[in-house]
Amino acid sequence: EYPELAQFGELPCDVILEEYQVRQQLGEPVDVDTFVSRFPQQATSLRRLICEAPRTISRRAAIWNQRNGNNPPSSRTPCGMSS
């Protein structure tokens, strides 16, 4: 969506992961394989980060939900493991 970023070469994995997380937080369906395929040079690292990230996101979401009286986050990760 932002081709001007390509001039800098590879995007850092944490920047790409942030996009993934924002899409999830907005309720967009995000398929891990499809998302990772957009960044083939970082695919291995991204897949690992995406599988690890839900633990951090779930902790943050649980705090936010607790403060706002919402339902707790799902305990399933995008990699199919329980968090």
Side-chain angles (χ1 to χ4, degrees):
E1 188 173 326
Y2 298 99
E4 63 272 10
L5 292 175
Q7 70 182 341
F8 299 111
E10 283 186 19
L11 288 173
C13 286
D14 57 336
V15 172
I16 300 168
L17 178 63
E18 189 68 26
E19 177 191 341
Y20 180 88
Q21 292 172 336
V22 167
R23 288 177 181 268
Q24 279 195 317
Q25 290 170 355
L26 292 173
E28 292 184 24
V30 186
D31 176 70
V32 174
D33 293 327
T34 303
F35 186 81
V36 169
S37 72
R38 292 176 42 208
F39 309 95
Q41 295 171 330
Q42 297 105 317
T44 302
S45 296
L46 278 175
R47 193 172 298 281
R48 179 182 49 79
L49 287 171
I50 288 170
C51 288
E52 292 173 359
R55 294 179 190 102
T56 302
I57 294 169
S58 291
R59 284 192 293 272
R60 289 182 192 156
I63 292 167
W64 189 89
N65 287 330
Q66 190 175 42
R67 290 180 183 160
N68 294 289
N70 294 333
N71 295 326
S74 168
S75 61
R76 302 297 293 172
T77 69
C79 300
M81 304 176 300
S82 294
S83 59

